[in-house]
Amino acid sequence: MNSIYRSLQIQFYFVLCLMLAASYFTFKFSKEIVAAKTNIHSHSRLITLMYEARTQPYSKKISYELQKSRAYSLNPTRALHISNFIQAYNSSNRNILEKRYQELLDYENEYVNLNETIIESKSDQIFAIVFGALLLQILNIFLYLRAMQKQMLSPIEHLTQKINDFMSGSYSYRFTTAPDNEIGNLERSFRLMAEEVIKNMEELQALDQAKSEFMNIVSHELRTPMTSIKGSLGLIASGKMGDLSDKVKKLIGIAEIESNRLIRLINDFLDLAKIEAKNYSLDRSWVPLEKILLSSVESLKGLQEKANVNIQILGYPKVEVNVDADKIQQVLVNLLSNAMKFTTEHGSVFIQADIFENKVYIRIKDQGPGISEENQQKIFQKFRQASSPDRPLVKGTGLGLSIAKALVEAHEGKISVVSEIGKGSEFYFTIPEYREEIKGKETIAA
């Protein structure tokens, strides 16, 4: 039998016994009250008959009624007094009748007082029983709730806290011995699940670490030969190794494009490895925001011409930001190149910066197809990117936005996207620390 059922069963039996006891004594005392009220009613009838017998001539009917009253009386003393009165009434002796009348009247007054006392006493006892039963029930409920809180609610709160800690990524707490009840069974089940999840997490972390180390090693090993290959292709394409036919020049151009793409991929892998290993530092300095924006746009001139997409700077505040300029420019170039990738030919990509809620907001808006809500939650993850079959110009690795997110967060900023299918996308990120020069005096906001 489980503990909850056992507790409820004890509670039920206690309430049942309490109700039976209260009902028994209430019924018993109620019967006594009814009997006392009946006696008082019979007293009134008897007094009426006594008055008629005293004041009226002898009547068999009155004698018969007096005999009925004597028969119904359960009190022997009262029955004796009534019998004496009847004998005096039947003897037609007025003196004896008057004497017996006075004796019976005195006794009846005492009898009524006694019954009224019984009614009052038993009513008080019934009230005390009902009130006492109610108090006992309230006390019982209070004690039961206290016991339930100790046995169930507190362990449930403790277990809930463990589950919340677990869901928020805190796996370091120790498991205690679970109680031998339903809550204990639930806690043991959660413990088994948590231990299995932790085991799997440790295995996944080990695999992820091994993958990162492998990517780092491979990237380092590939970068040197790829740099040599790129240099060799550039030397050949320049014509210094001899004249080339148009067909060979075309093939060399394709090889240069693909080698550049592979070098970008290798650099992304190396950046990701550094970010995951927390093996990078920011070289912060106060840099004009204008310089970062213009440098980022200028670095994409060639891509603008090839994609036939224009980048327009709509406006920016005259401020300086405390950032690692190369890292923020890397973020901007990634967001701008992505925007160009998904913007149709002859379209525009807009970049605008402003100050809002004491932060610098930088926004990049494209004229592309938009991103579904489902993909908006995924594109900042590693190796995830939104596809665009109509714009295959810029091929990606799926690492750019993940790296951009890590770099922005390293500056204590935030990066996100607002998009709607068919209406383009707007990426934005924040820089919390900036300053502006007012008449030669610096005002710093952070």
Side-chain angles (χ1 to χ4, degrees):
M1 184 183 298
N2 59 60
S3 61
I4 297 177
Y5 178 75
R6 186 164 56 248
S7 298
L8 290 174
Q9 190 178 45
I10 293 173
Q11 177 77 359
F12 171 77
Y13 285 138
F14 177 81
V15 172
L16 180 62
C17 292
L18 186 63
M19 290 179 62
L20 288 175
S23 299
Y24 170 76
F25 287 105
T26 300
F27 178 73
K28 178 182 176 182
F29 296 153
S30 295
K31 283 181 63 177
E32 294 181 12
I33 290 173
V34 170
K37 288 183 176 180
T38 303
N39 291 337
I40 291 174
H41 178 72
S42 68
H43 162 78
S44 300
R45 176 59 180 161
L46 179 60
I47 293 297
T48 302
L49 290 172
M50 288 169 57
Y51 178 79
E52 291 176 354
R54 181 187 178 198
T55 58
Q56 296 180 11
Y58 176 81
S59 170
K60 289 184 178 181
K61 180 179 179 182
I62 294 175
S63 178
Y64 175 73
E65 292 294 333
L66 287 170
Q67 291 176 13
K68 281 176 60 178
S69 297
R70 179 187 62 185
Y72 290 147
S73 177
L74 300 178
N75 188 310
T77 303
R78 184 171 183 252
L80 178 61
H81 280 288
I82 296 173
S83 296
N84 292 337
F85 181 79
I86 292 173
Q87 289 177 1
Y89 178 67
N90 290 334
S91 68
S92 298
N93 189 327
R94 303 303 299 179
N95 292 329
I96 296 176
L97 179 63
E98 190 68 27
K99 181 180 179 181
R100 300 303 183 197
Y101 173 82
Q102 193 61 45
E103 290 176 353
L104 182 56
L105 183 62
D106 292 341
Y107 181 82
E108 282 298 308
N109 289 334
E110 294 178 0
Y111 185 69
V112 169
N113 291 336
L114 175 63
N115 281 280
E116 288 177 346
T117 302
I118 290 174
I119 291 173
E120 184 178 355
S121 173
K122 298 306 177 183
S123 297
D124 291 342
Q125 289 178 356
I126 290 175
F127 175 78
I129 289 171
V130 173
F131 185 72
L134 181 62
L135 284 180
L136 283 175
Q137 183 59 19
I138 293 173
L139 179 61
N140 176 54
I141 292 173
F142 174 75
L143 294 176
Y144 179 75
L145 291 177
R146 285 292 300 272
M148 289 289 289
Q149 181 180 14
K150 183 177 180 181
Q151 296 180 6
M152 293 187 62
L153 299 182
S154 295
I156 287 176
E157 290 178 359
H158 184 61
L159 181 59
T160 301
Q161 184 61 46
K162 284 185 177 180
I163 293 173
N164 290 336
D165 290 344
F166 187 82
M167 295 299 294
S168 63
S170 176
Y171 312 126
S172 58
Y173 58 83
R174 292 184 177 181
F175 291 104
T176 56
T177 303
D180 187 19
N181 54 26
E182 290 74 16
I183 304 302
N185 294 336
L186 181 61
E187 185 169 348
R188 279 187 287 272
S189 299
F190 168 70
R191 180 195 303 179
L192 292 174
M193 181 202 71
E195 289 174 345
E196 188 66 24
V197 169
I198 291 172
K199 179 182 176 182
N200 292 337
M201 288 287 294
E202 290 173 348
E203 292 177 355
L204 288 173
Q205 287 174 356
L207 290 173
D208 195 53
Q209 180 66 24
K211 179 204 69 177
S212 297
E213 291 176 357
F214 174 76
M215 287 169 48
N216 194 19
I217 292 170
V218 169
S219 299
H220 274 292
E221 293 298 323
L222 286 176
R223 182 149 70 170
T224 301
M226 284 307 304
T227 302
S228 299
I229 292 172
K230 179 184 176 182
S232 299
L233 288 172
L235 188 61
I236 295 172
S238 67
K240 293 181 179 180
M241 304 299 295
D243 295 333
L244 302 174
S245 64
D246 292 340
K247 186 176 181 180
V248 173
K249 286 182 180 179
K250 184 178 179 180
L251 292 174
I252 292 296
I254 293 173
E256 278 191 298
I257 292 173
E258 293 302 318
S259 64
N260 287 331
R261 188 176 71 85
L262 191 53
I263 288 174
R264 286 197 302 272
L265 176 61
I266 292 170
N267 289 334
D268 284 346
F269 280 145
L270 289 173
D271 288 341
L272 182 63
K274 289 179 182 179
I275 289 171
E276 290 181 340
K278 307 295 182 182
N279 188 26
Y280 71 98
S281 59
L282 299 178
D283 184 16
R284 289 177 182 257
S285 62
W286 289 101
V287 185
L289 178 62
E290 179 183 34
K291 179 180 178 181
I292 296 176
L293 297 179
L294 295 178
S295 297
S296 300
V297 174
E298 185 65 26
S299 67
L300 292 170
K301 282 290 186 181
L303 188 58
Q304 290 183 65
E305 294 175 0
K306 188 175 294 186
N308 202 7
V309 173
N310 183 39
I311 298 178
Q312 297 184 34
I313 300 178
L314 300 181
Y316 50 85
K318 296 290 186 178
V319 296
E320 294 180 344
V321 288
N322 188 21
V323 296
D324 185 326
D326 290 339
K327 297 294 191 293
I328 294 300
Q329 186 169 333
Q330 182 179 349
V331 173
L332 272 170
V333 168
N334 180 271
L335 295 178
L336 288 169
S337 61
N338 281 346
M340 293 168 63
K341 173 181 177 181
F342 293 105
T343 297
T344 57
E345 270 192 275
H346 308 292
S348 295
V349 172
F350 305 98
I351 179 170
Q352 182 174 7
D354 49 34
I355 296 175
F356 179 69
E357 293 183 344
N358 210 29
K359 297 181 182 67
V360 174
Y361 274 73
I362 301 177
R363 309 174 191 275
I364 294 92
K365 182 172 179 58
D366 62 37
Q367 294 179 329
I371 304 171
S372 67
E373 186 174 349
E374 179 184 1
N375 279 330
Q376 290 178 36
Q377 307 299 322
K378 297 178 180 179
I379 55 176
F380 290 101
Q381 300 174 11
K382 292 183 294 185
F383 305 107
R384 294 295 186 98
Q385 60 179 357
S387 59
S388 177
D390 298 330
R391 298 289 294 161
L393 177 65
V394 182
K395 298 180 180 179
T397 63
L399 295 175
L401 287 177
S402 175
I403 294 171
K405 182 174 184 291
L407 294 176
V408 170
E409 290 176 350
H411 286 81
E412 295 87 36
K414 175 187 175 183
I415 186 169
S416 189
V417 61
V418 177
S419 184
E420 187 177 344
I421 297 296
K423 295 185 179 181
S425 304
E426 180 180 278
F427 284 82
Y428 69 88
F429 67 94
T430 63
I431 300 174
E433 195 170 353
Y434 70 92
R435 70 183 182 185
E436 55 185 346
E437 295 183 0
I438 303 176
K439 296 181 180 181
K441 183 178 179 180
E442 293 181 347
T443 301
I444 300 178

